[in-house]
Amino acid sequence: MTARILTPEELALLTLVQDELVPAHGDLSAAGTLGAALTVDAYLAERPLLRRPVLTALRAVEAAAGETPFAELDSEGRVGILRQVENDDPEAFSELVKQTYNAYYTRPDVQASLGIDGPPQPLGFELPAFDESRLARVRAMGKLWRDA
Amino acid sequence: MATPEFDSDVLIVGSGASGAAAAWSLSRRGLRVTCLEQGRWVKPSDYAHSRPDFELARQTSFAKDPNVRGWAEDYPINNSGTPIYPLMVNAVGGSTVHWSGHFPRMRPSDFRVRTLDGVADDWPFTYWDLEPYYDLNDSMVGVSGLAGDPGNPPRSPRQTPPLAFDAGCEAYLRGLEKLGWHWWPCDNALISEPFGENRSPCNCCGPCDIGCPIGAMSSAHVTYWPKALAQGVQLITHARVEQITVDRAGRATGALYYDDQGVRRSHTAGVVVMAANGVGTPRLLLNSTSARFPNGLANNSGVVGAYLMFHPVAFVSGVFEEVVNGQRGPIGGLMNCQEFYETDLARGFVRGFELQLSRSVGPLSVANGGILGHPVPWGSEHHEALRSRYAHTMTTSVMLEDLPEPENRVTLDPGLTDAHGIPAPRVEYRAGENTQRMLEFSIARARELFEAAGAVEILVDPLVQESGWHLMGTCRMGDDPERSVINGWGQAHECSNLFVIDGSTFTTSAAVNPTSTIQAVALRCADWLGRNYREAAA
């Protein structure tokens, strides 16, 4: 699968950024390594209004990194750059984070790591029925409404 | 009864909660009823619940805000002048297509606000006048719940038992019992056992707010519409109304609308019934100008669009150490607490509020802040923070009575239009002083509840931006034509064959979700219109 909106450079940068936003956890790789950048690219293709903030945030990351490319920084350095961009343009950066979360938490493997067996339908969940005896105290409160 | 010189006896604009109920009621009496709906039927395959990315639907195809959702059938709303965004669904069934289904009734005191508390206005009828229509409506749609709540007048047995009661409810109960506050399992327009045709009982899948693919939710497109269509109602979808037409005498004659091919058409009727919600109805009336009504139909008083009420909502979430699995089970009202519903001036405000004790959302919505209003931080703390909240959180909606103020209003935007060139609505709203004092007090009570329940973290969104589900008051009922648009039967003071039956009609807002009352009012108005059609249409 190739990107439709992001250039190869932007895709690579987004992948690195996403690895810092949602790092590896247990057996799960970080978001970028899992391929969340391509998913975000698909969102950008479907919803043009997302392009401006996401691309703005990516450009800001590049710019903030200065002469040392983001890719050549260690994790601490990358996080520092991302904090700077978040501080300078919180609106664009929060959209980048949101779309990364969207891509990450819609993955079945990530959901499985949280104990989710599948989507809500068709199985739903079996929950206990209501027990009326729990209302004994409230029933004894008497009329609480004003007639009119 | 029929008036053959018109295309229909009654033309209803809008197929949502009120339009559906009225269509059923009026067609029962043999009237020829046509309903114009700008939206479409939502198909089972449209719902996202069977996909791993179902939570994305909250941001996209089933977003509450039409400005975000952007269906072709939606119209834009200029909401730059309001901290609360109007929310709605433009489809057959209207905003009941995806909602929480919370279905409380107003209390008797809610209809006598001026008499009891000296503010706003009394409704032109009482709770007891409306009670038979509440009962009729419940029997039509199917309600889960339990009669016997001491916080409300006695009511008829609910159609199905209360919804499930699980770990999150137990957590709430710890706090409620410790504080000795009122609570009761909510009435919900969501069936817990078999009821009606082609509907399945709730299987507790969770995200009711993005629709119900199994028909458990008592949405108008699965309750009233099949029956109304069987009675011969003509429902025209993709029909976007531009204006209500009038004759020289100032009587409504029907509507001009764009059909699914973009062709501008006329439909005539003896009576026009507006059911396009508290934003859509004033929008269309304001756009229906004529020599007789230069400020919009039935608006020589200037009241159309004014007195807009929302229910200002705060979300207060409690994070618990134990697993409460708030993402399982119907998201909406599990229990309500009406301890602070009636006026107590010692609190510093008039009227009151309800705490709607609700569940929570899945991991994506938790991560993005969603119902919590606080996104999970990114970076090295992310996973721990996400896991401390996901499946450990319950959220209470603090729902306040909003007093009617003429400055809060819907007008026509001077520049913004929909895809057909029809002026879009502009909404101007600010929360009044009484509301602000009540918000502060009510949030403190919700915090107190979660503290008593043992929550380890409490998150507050003090005024939820995306909470304008309840659009009320913009064509208000009353006996005084200077302060109201319609009388107690929904009949316009200035145009006797024009009726309004949706949330616009509300004289005051109460502090509970309005759909049950919207439908009961619609049934009462339709019942009167059905019995007095000749007089109204003459």
Side-chain angles (χ1 to χ4, degrees):
Chain A
M1 201 165 96
T2 55
R4 293 169 60 192
I5 302 298
L6 298 172
T7 66
E9 294 76 21
E10 289 168 336
L11 192 70
L13 177 60
L14 177 57
T15 300
L16 293 175
V17 168
Q18 290 179 323
D19 278 349
E20 300 301 336
L21 296 179
V22 184
H25 181 78
D27 294 337
L28 280 175
S29 301
T33 305
L34 280 174
L38 268 177
T39 309
V40 170
D41 180 78
Y43 299 153
L44 301 183
E46 289 166 15
R47 299 171 64 193
L49 287 177
L50 296 177
R51 293 173 194 168
R52 185 172 178 176
V54 169
L55 294 174
T56 297
L58 282 178
R59 285 187 204 113
V61 169
E62 257 184 336
E67 291 181 3
T68 308
F70 189 79
E72 292 179 17
L73 296 170
D74 60 14
S75 179
E76 190 180 344
R78 291 176 186 175
V79 168
I81 295 292
L82 296 179
R83 295 276 176 223
Q84 183 184 329
V85 175
E86 182 177 37
N87 194 50
D88 292 345
D89 192 346
E91 201 171 322
F93 190 80
S94 67
E95 194 62 55
L96 179 65
V97 174
K98 181 179 181 179
Q99 297 311 323
T100 297
Y101 288 171
N102 285 351
Y104 183 75
Y105 284 105
T106 51
R107 292 178 59 93
D109 52 354
V110 172
Q111 293 173 354
S113 77
L114 291 163
I116 298 170
D117 298 335
Q121 290 289 0
L123 297 179
F125 300 100
E126 276 198 34
L127 301 182
F130 182 73
D131 175 4
E132 281 194 42
S133 70
R134 310 302 295 272
L135 286 165
R137 178 188 62 80
V138 181
R139 285 187 193 278
M141 290 177 85
K143 177 184 164 188
L144 300 171
W145 51 280
R146 285 187 291 176
D147 204 351
Chain B
M1 176 96 48
T3 45
E5 67 269 31
F6 300 117
D7 296 327
S8 300
D9 296 327
V10 180
L11 177 64
I12 300 174
V13 179
S15 72
S18 63
W24 169 79
S25 174
L26 292 164
S27 59
R28 262 174 103 200
R29 293 184 177 274
L31 289 165
R32 297 177 302 134
V33 178
T34 296
C35 179
L36 299 177
E37 167 53 55
Q38 66 191 320
R40 58 186 163 84
W41 287 92
V42 174
K43 302 185 296 292
S45 60
D46 292 333
Y47 295 110
H49 300 62
S50 298
R51 304 199 308 256
D53 64 352
F54 71 95
E55 285 195 273
L56 266 186
R58 288 196 176 101
Q59 301 169 34
T60 56
S61 57
F62 281 84
K64 302 179 288 276
D65 183 344
N67 288 346
V68 174
R69 187 176 56 234
W71 286 356
E73 302 88 357
D74 289 321
Y75 54 86
I77 300 172
N78 182 343
N79 55 21
S80 61
T82 171
I84 300 173
Y85 289 177
L87 310 174
M88 66 182 71
V89 181
N90 295 302
V92 176
S95 298
T96 66
V97 170
H98 50 106
W99 58 324
S100 70
H102 196 50
F103 218 59
R105 295 182 183 186
M106 288 165 60
R107 287 185 177 192
S109 60
D110 290 325
F111 296 85
R112 286 290 174 269
V113 173
R114 164 64 66 179
T115 300
L116 294 175
D117 295 323
V119 293
D121 295 283
D122 289 346
W123 287 55
F125 51 79
T126 68
Y127 172 88
W128 306 108
D129 295 324
L130 198 58
E131 187 186 38
Y133 298 96
Y134 274 129
D135 283 344
L136 171 62
N137 189 52
D138 290 351
S139 72
M140 289 295 296
V141 305
V143 176
S144 62
L146 186 68
D149 177 6
N152 283 270
R155 67 185 56 168
S156 54
R158 311 291 74 199
Q159 285 67 39
T160 68
L163 296 167
F165 195 87
D166 55 356
C169 306
E170 296 291 353
Y172 277 132
L173 206 49
R174 278 201 304 267
L176 290 162
E177 293 301 303
K178 194 169 175 180
L179 295 167
W181 289 356
H182 164 269
W183 69 277
W184 200 259
C186 290
D187 274 6
N188 282 293
L190 179 58
I191 53 173
S192 58
E193 290 183 353
F195 178 88
E197 293 175 15
N198 301 315
R199 301 177 61 187
S200 300
C202 176
N203 67 358
C204 300
C205 81
C208 314
D209 59 316
I210 53 171
C212 180
I214 64 172
M217 191 69 80
S218 305
S219 308
H221 66 302
V222 301
T223 57
Y224 279 107
W225 272 114
K227 294 181 172 68
L229 294 174
Q231 289 173 177
V233 175
Q234 181 187 25
L235 172 60
I236 304 176
T237 59
H238 296 98
R240 174 163 280 164
V241 174
E242 176 196 281
Q243 61 176 285
I244 307 306
T245 51
V246 294
D247 62 17
R248 285 171 185 270
R251 293 184 57 74
T253 56
L256 285 174
Y257 70 98
Y258 290 91
D259 72 9
D260 59 349
Q261 301 301 310
V263 176
R264 195 160 174 257
R265 296 186 180 281
S266 164
H267 191 99
T268 62
V271 166
V272 174
V273 175
M274 299 302 298
N277 82 41
V279 168
T281 287
R283 175 202 183 201
L284 291 178
L285 294 183
L286 292 171
N287 198 46
S288 302
T289 55
S290 61
R292 190 67 177 259
F293 297 108
N295 300 317
L297 181 53
N299 191 35
N300 289 335
S301 64
V303 180
V304 170
Y307 298 100
L308 169 69
M309 295 173 286
F310 293 117
H311 282 128
V313 166
F315 281 157
V316 181
S317 298
V319 182
F320 294 90
E321 271 185 1
E322 77 260 33
V323 171
V324 292
N325 274 330
Q327 76 282 5
R328 298 181 181 179
I331 192 170
L334 321 179
M335 310 137 82
N336 65 41
C337 170
Q338 295 193 343
E339 182 74 20
F340 308 98
Y341 197 88
E342 301 284 357
T343 294
D344 178 350
L345 293 176
R347 296 175 191 143
F349 52 84
V350 290
R351 307 301 298 158
F353 61 92
E354 167 180 274
L355 300 177
Q356 286 181 7
L357 314 178
S358 302
R359 287 192 169 87
S360 191
V361 286
L364 171 57
S365 302
V366 169
N368 280 325
I371 197 169
L372 310 179
H374 297 262
V376 172
W378 58 270
S380 57
E381 306 162 29
H382 177 79
H383 293 289
E384 189 181 339
L386 187 285
R387 280 162 172 75
S388 74
R389 292 187 196 172
Y390 168 66
H392 291 265
T393 303
M394 299 295 277
T395 296
T396 284
S397 303
V398 178
M399 182 172 290
L400 280 60
E401 173 154 355
D402 199 8
L403 295 177
E405 298 182 22
E407 298 79 15
N408 292 335
R409 62 192 305 143
V410 175
T411 54
L412 295 182
D413 192 90
L416 190 65
T417 66
D418 67 19
H420 292 85
I422 303 169
R426 172 181 164 76
V427 174
E428 292 163 275
Y429 175 89
R430 61 165 183 78
E433 282 182 28
N434 191 69
T435 296
Q436 291 179 26
R437 288 196 295 271
M438 202 188 318
L439 259 178
E440 193 178 336
F441 180 90
S442 59
I443 290 169
R445 298 292 74 73
R447 275 187 174 279
E448 189 179 359
L449 172 62
F450 277 118
E451 284 165 4
V456 294
E457 184 184 11
I458 297 172
L459 305 165
V460 178
D461 185 345
L463 184 60
V464 180
Q465 187 178 63
E466 283 201 341
S467 67
W469 294 283
H470 307 158
L471 311 169
M472 300 168 288
T474 47
C475 294
R476 64 203 309 249
M477 282 185 163
D479 296 324
D480 179 358
E482 297 296 314
R483 291 177 56 81
S484 59
V485 177
I486 55 174
N487 65 22
W489 305 112
Q491 186 177 32
H493 295 305
E494 300 177 19
C495 180
S496 61
N497 69 335
L498 173 73
F499 287 73
V500 180
I501 60 166
D502 55 31
S504 313
T505 61
F506 279 36
T507 310
T508 55
S509 71
V512 293
N513 306 52
T515 307
S516 169
T517 303
I518 288 173
Q519 291 189 304
V521 168
L523 288 173
R524 184 173 183 271
C525 293
D527 192 29
W528 186 90
L529 173 57
R531 286 186 280 109
N532 298 278
Y533 176 77
R534 279 190 185 283
E535 183 187 320

